[in-house]
Amino acid sequence: LTDGLYKFYIKCKDDYGNLSGELEIIFNVNLPVTAQIVLPKNSPLSAGIFQLKLITSKPLSQPPSLYYSFDVTDYKSIVLSGSGTNWAGYLDIPSLIGDGIGSFKFSGRDLEGNIGETISSGQLFIVDTKKPPTILTVKAVGSDGSVNLDWYFDHDVDHFNIYKSSS
């Protein structure tokens, strides 16, 4: 069930076919607030400062609390600005982290005073600030209008950028 007021009517029938009177049940569901964290790009994140968005499942009475950690013990606070269900802040990833997994912790209070701490999506993010090793041996053979490059690199990489210069 989602937040809201629910009304149900119940009638019972016994084994002999006798019907009871109608019973009305009314109850209210008020779930704790949850959050989604949206980062500006897909993992892995490199070193730098990234603006993130925090979207809550319902309006909040005050700015939520958001913390991040790279070791699940030392959490750093992220100052958030915004209102209602839309909040924004900055995540700082230092270059000394290396590679690993970061995590967030959240707490928010809705307009009725209920506190929620569940992050429904975006709780974990991958970090990779390690630079790949340098290619040490490159063989270049020039021909008419082109250059053929050959090298050996014993690491798994996504792509290489090759630049040309007139000197």
Side-chain angles (χ1 to χ4, degrees):
L1 296 174
T2 59
D3 283 356
L5 188 64
Y6 292 87
K7 187 184 283 190
F8 289 91
Y9 299 95
I10 299 173
K11 249 185 181 180
C12 297
K13 183 166 137 182
D14 66 16
D15 292 339
Y16 303 105
N18 300 315
L19 289 174
S20 69
E22 190 172 88
L23 176 65
E24 180 182 66
I25 298 174
I26 300 172
F27 63 92
N28 186 39
V29 173
N30 189 3
L31 299 172
V33 63
T34 62
Q36 293 179 299
I37 299 171
V38 180
L39 294 169
K41 62 181 237 169
N42 292 334
S43 291
L45 297 175
S46 56
I49 297 175
F50 300 93
Q51 184 176 31
L52 61 80
K53 294 179 186 176
L54 185 132
I55 303 164
T56 57
S57 59
K58 51 177 128 175
L60 302 180
S61 61
Q62 61 193 35
S65 298
L66 185 64
Y67 301 91
Y68 70 100
S69 175
F70 299 111
D71 61 9
V72 195
T73 56
D74 181 30
Y75 280 89
K76 294 177 176 59
S77 178
I78 295 177
V79 176
L80 296 170
S81 60
S83 63
T85 60
N86 293 303
W87 303 87
Y90 291 93
L91 170 65
D92 183 11
I93 301 177
S95 59
L96 302 175
I97 292 299
D99 56 358
I101 297 176
S103 63
F104 291 105
K105 281 176 38 174
F106 156 81
S107 179
R109 183 182 305 267
D110 68 17
L111 298 176
E112 295 173 348
N114 300 312
I115 297 174
E117 297 179 337
T118 300
I119 299 174
S120 59
S121 68
Q123 183 173 7
L124 301 176
F125 57 97
I126 298 171
V127 175
D128 182 5
T129 63
K130 287 199 301 189
K131 294 180 180 179
T134 302
I135 299 171
L136 298 176
T137 306
V138 177
K139 179 181 173 187
V141 177
S143 61
D144 189 30
S146 68
V147 175
N148 291 323
L149 297 175
D150 189 25
W151 65 83
Y152 175 75
F153 191 70
D154 190 24
H155 294 279
D156 193 23
V157 295
D158 182 54
H159 66 277
F160 289 95
N161 291 331
I162 300 173
Y163 302 92
K164 99 177 189 180
S165 172
S166 60
S167 60

